[in-house]
PDB file of all heavy atoms in Angstrom:
ATOM      1  N   ASP A  13      -0.142 -13.532   5.176  1.00  0.00           N
ATOM      2  CA  ASP A  13      -0.062 -14.387   6.430  1.00  0.00           C
ATOM      3  C   ASP A  13       1.202 -14.250   7.091  1.00  0.00           C
ATOM      4  O   ASP A  13       1.614 -15.148   7.787  1.00  0.00           O
ATOM      5  CB  ASP A  13      -0.361 -15.848   6.096  1.00  0.00           C
ATOM      6  CG  ASP A  13      -1.696 -15.988   5.322  1.00  0.00           C
ATOM      7  OD1 ASP A  13      -2.668 -15.224   5.631  1.00  0.00           O
ATOM      8  OD2 ASP A  13      -1.751 -17.008   4.460  1.00  0.00           O
ATOM      9  N   GLU A  14       1.861 -13.068   7.073  1.00  0.00           N
ATOM     10  CA  GLU A  14       3.151 -12.864   7.779  1.00  0.00           C
ATOM     11  C   GLU A  14       2.881 -12.643   9.300  1.00  0.00           C
ATOM     12  O   GLU A  14       3.884 -12.752  10.094  1.00  0.00           O
ATOM     13  CB  GLU A  14       3.865 -11.607   7.223  1.00  0.00           C
ATOM     14  CG  GLU A  14       4.300 -11.759   5.730  1.00  0.00           C
ATOM     15  CD  GLU A  14       3.217 -11.286   4.764  1.00  0.00           C
ATOM     16  OE1 GLU A  14       2.065 -10.999   5.160  1.00  0.00           O
ATOM     17  OE2 GLU A  14       3.551 -11.205   3.582  1.00  0.00           O
ATOM     18  N   GLY A  15       1.629 -12.338   9.639  1.00  0.00           N
ATOM     19  CA  GLY A  15       1.400 -12.026  11.074  1.00  0.00           C
ATOM     20  C   GLY A  15       0.987 -10.557  11.321  1.00  0.00           C
ATOM     21  O   GLY A  15       1.216 -10.002  12.414  1.00  0.00           O
ATOM     22  N   LYS A  16       0.460  -9.952  10.203  1.00  0.00           N
ATOM     23  CA  LYS A  16       0.128  -8.541  10.258  1.00  0.00           C
ATOM     24  C   LYS A  16      -0.853  -8.296  11.432  1.00  0.00           C
ATOM     25  O   LYS A  16      -0.759  -7.219  12.196  1.00  0.00           O
ATOM     26  CB  LYS A  16      -0.497  -8.095   8.931  1.00  0.00           C
ATOM     27  CG  LYS A  16       0.438  -8.244   7.724  1.00  0.00           C
ATOM     28  CD  LYS A  16      -0.217  -7.951   6.397  1.00  0.00           C
ATOM     29  CE  LYS A  16      -1.222  -9.005   5.975  1.00  0.00           C
ATOM     30  NZ  LYS A  16      -0.626 -10.265   5.680  1.00  0.00           N
ATOM     31  N   GLY A  17      -1.908  -9.055  11.563  1.00  0.00           N
ATOM     32  CA  GLY A  17      -2.993  -8.833  12.546  1.00  0.00           C
ATOM     33  C   GLY A  17      -2.386  -8.737  13.981  1.00  0.00           C
ATOM     34  O   GLY A  17      -2.631  -7.867  14.713  1.00  0.00           O
ATOM     35  N   GLY A  40      -7.270 -12.792   6.369  1.00  0.00           N
ATOM     36  CA  GLY A  40      -7.569 -13.511   7.586  1.00  0.00           C
ATOM     37  C   GLY A  40      -6.454 -13.067   8.564  1.00  0.00           C
ATOM     38  O   GLY A  40      -5.399 -13.592   8.457  1.00  0.00           O
ATOM     39  N   HIS A  41      -6.748 -12.187   9.418  1.00  0.00           N
ATOM     40  CA  HIS A  41      -5.731 -11.663  10.326  1.00  0.00           C
ATOM     41  C   HIS A  41      -5.974 -12.194  11.774  1.00  0.00           C
ATOM     42  O   HIS A  41      -7.021 -11.906  12.401  1.00  0.00           O
ATOM     43  CB  HIS A  41      -5.747 -10.148  10.369  1.00  0.00           C
ATOM     44  CG  HIS A  41      -5.296  -9.543   8.989  1.00  0.00           C
ATOM     45  ND1 HIS A  41      -5.224  -8.276   8.779  1.00  0.00           N
ATOM     46  CD2 HIS A  41      -4.893 -10.132   7.880  1.00  0.00           C
ATOM     47  CE1 HIS A  41      -4.811  -8.012   7.473  1.00  0.00           C
ATOM     48  NE2 HIS A  41      -4.675  -9.223   6.934  1.00  0.00           N
ATOM     49  N   THR A  42      -5.072 -12.957  12.249  1.00  0.00           N
ATOM     50  CA  THR A  42      -5.213 -13.671  13.502  1.00  0.00           C
ATOM     51  C   THR A  42      -4.617 -12.874  14.693  1.00  0.00           C
ATOM     52  O   THR A  42      -3.518 -12.423  14.617  1.00  0.00           O
ATOM     53  CB  THR A  42      -4.550 -15.093  13.542  1.00  0.00           C
ATOM     54  OG1 THR A  42      -4.947 -15.689  12.248  1.00  0.00           O
ATOM     55  CG2 THR A  42      -5.028 -15.957  14.591  1.00  0.00           C
ATOM     56  N   ARG A 302      -0.958 -24.272   3.749  1.00  0.00           N
ATOM     57  CA  ARG A 302      -0.063 -23.309   3.144  1.00  0.00           C
ATOM     58  C   ARG A 302       1.235 -24.004   2.676  1.00  0.00           C
ATOM     59  O   ARG A 302       1.755 -24.849   3.395  1.00  0.00           O
ATOM     60  CB  ARG A 302       0.281 -22.181   4.158  1.00  0.00           C
ATOM     61  CG  ARG A 302      -0.845 -21.353   4.486  1.00  0.00           C
ATOM     62  CD  ARG A 302      -0.394 -20.299   5.611  1.00  0.00           C
ATOM     63  NE  ARG A 302      -1.581 -19.534   6.062  1.00  0.00           N
ATOM     64  CZ  ARG A 302      -1.670 -18.992   7.276  1.00  0.00           C
ATOM     65  NH1 ARG A 302      -0.749 -19.133   8.164  1.00  0.00           N
ATOM     66  NH2 ARG A 302      -2.730 -18.320   7.603  1.00  0.00           N
ATOM     67  N   LYS A 328       7.572 -15.315  13.700  1.00  0.00           N
ATOM     68  CA  LYS A 328       7.595 -16.786  13.732  1.00  0.00           C
ATOM     69  C   LYS A 328       8.990 -17.418  13.659  1.00  0.00           C
ATOM     70  O   LYS A 328       9.182 -18.530  13.272  1.00  0.00           O
ATOM     71  CB  LYS A 328       6.754 -17.313  12.565  1.00  0.00           C
ATOM     72  CG  LYS A 328       5.290 -16.866  12.589  1.00  0.00           C
ATOM     73  CD  LYS A 328       4.417 -17.566  11.642  1.00  0.00           C
ATOM     74  CE  LYS A 328       3.650 -18.708  12.215  1.00  0.00           C
ATOM     75  NZ  LYS A 328       2.471 -19.130  11.497  1.00  0.00           N
ATOM     76  N   ASP A 330      10.352 -18.494  16.211  1.00  0.00           N
ATOM     77  CA  ASP A 330      10.296 -19.608  17.099  1.00  0.00           C
ATOM     78  C   ASP A 330      10.003 -21.017  16.353  1.00  0.00           C
ATOM     79  O   ASP A 330      10.326 -22.001  16.848  1.00  0.00           O
ATOM     80  CB  ASP A 330       9.123 -19.374  18.153  1.00  0.00           C
ATOM     81  CG  ASP A 330       7.806 -19.105  17.504  1.00  0.00           C
ATOM     82  OD1 ASP A 330       7.673 -18.066  16.843  1.00  0.00           O
ATOM     83  OD2 ASP A 330       6.895 -19.933  17.600  1.00  0.00           O
ATOM     84  N   SER A 408       8.993 -11.435  16.849  1.00  0.00           N
ATOM     85  CA  SER A 408       7.803 -12.140  17.403  1.00  0.00           C
ATOM     86  C   SER A 408       8.256 -13.583  17.650  1.00  0.00           C
ATOM     87  O   SER A 408       8.731 -14.217  16.804  1.00  0.00           O
ATOM     88  CB  SER A 408       6.691 -12.003  16.497  1.00  0.00           C
ATOM     89  OG  SER A 408       5.599 -12.807  16.905  1.00  0.00           O
ATOM     90  N   GLY A 410       5.989 -15.985  19.154  1.00  0.00           N
ATOM     91  CA  GLY A 410       4.818 -16.786  19.425  1.00  0.00           C
ATOM     92  C   GLY A 410       3.624 -15.995  19.016  1.00  0.00           C
ATOM     93  O   GLY A 410       3.697 -14.781  18.809  1.00  0.00           O
ATOM     94  N   PRO A 411       2.478 -16.657  18.939  1.00  0.00           N
ATOM     95  CA  PRO A 411       1.215 -15.968  18.453  1.00  0.00           C
ATOM     96  C   PRO A 411       0.608 -15.010  19.438  1.00  0.00           C
ATOM     97  O   PRO A 411      -0.112 -14.125  19.012  1.00  0.00           O
ATOM     98  CB  PRO A 411       0.272 -17.202  18.190  1.00  0.00           C
ATOM     99  CG  PRO A 411       0.783 -18.269  18.936  1.00  0.00           C
ATOM    100  CD  PRO A 411       2.277 -18.120  19.079  1.00  0.00           C
TER     101      PRO A 411
HETATM  102  P1  GDP B 501      -1.844 -12.220   8.812  1.00  0.00           P
HETATM  103  O1  GDP B 501      -2.822 -12.520   7.681  1.00  0.00           O
HETATM  104  O2  GDP B 501      -0.575 -11.533   8.175  1.00  0.00           O
HETATM  105  O3  GDP B 501      -2.449 -11.369   9.876  1.00  0.00           O
HETATM  106  O4  GDP B 501      -1.380 -13.561   9.394  1.00  0.00           O
HETATM  107  P2  GDP B 501      -2.343 -14.825   9.700  1.00  0.00           P
HETATM  108  O5  GDP B 501      -3.077 -14.568  10.881  1.00  0.00           O
HETATM  109  O6  GDP B 501      -3.050 -15.226   8.528  1.00  0.00           O
HETATM  110  O7  GDP B 501      -1.179 -15.973   9.984  1.00  0.00           O
HETATM  111  C1  GDP B 501      -0.229 -15.838  10.993  1.00  0.00           C
HETATM  112  C2  GDP B 501      -0.371 -17.016  11.956  1.00  0.00           C
HETATM  113  O8  GDP B 501       0.753 -17.114  12.729  1.00  0.00           O
HETATM  114  C3  GDP B 501      -1.546 -16.836  12.890  1.00  0.00           C
HETATM  115  O9  GDP B 501      -2.030 -18.110  13.169  1.00  0.00           O
HETATM  116  C4  GDP B 501      -0.864 -16.263  14.135  1.00  0.00           C
HETATM  117  O10 GDP B 501      -1.463 -16.509  15.364  1.00  0.00           O
HETATM  118  C5  GDP B 501       0.433 -16.934  14.079  1.00  0.00           C
HETATM  119  N1  GDP B 501       1.607 -16.163  14.622  1.00  0.00           N
HETATM  120  C6  GDP B 501       1.847 -14.782  14.547  1.00  0.00           C
HETATM  121  N2  GDP B 501       3.087 -14.533  14.950  1.00  0.00           N
HETATM  122  C7  GDP B 501       3.627 -15.666  15.411  1.00  0.00           C
HETATM  123  C8  GDP B 501       4.822 -15.989  15.998  1.00  0.00           C
HETATM  124  O11 GDP B 501       5.782 -15.166  16.184  1.00  0.00           O
HETATM  125  N3  GDP B 501       5.109 -17.293  16.192  1.00  0.00           N
HETATM  126  C9  GDP B 501       4.178 -18.247  15.954  1.00  0.00           C
HETATM  127  N4  GDP B 501       4.468 -19.585  16.253  1.00  0.00           N
HETATM  128  N5  GDP B 501       3.003 -17.938  15.486  1.00  0.00           N
HETATM  129  C10 GDP B 501       2.687 -16.688  15.176  1.00  0.00           C
END
Side-chain angles (χ1 to χ4, degrees):
D13 302 327
E14 295 89 351
K16 299 174 288 293
H41 294 180
T42 315
R302 294 179 184 149
K328 301 190 94 159
D330 55 294
S408 172

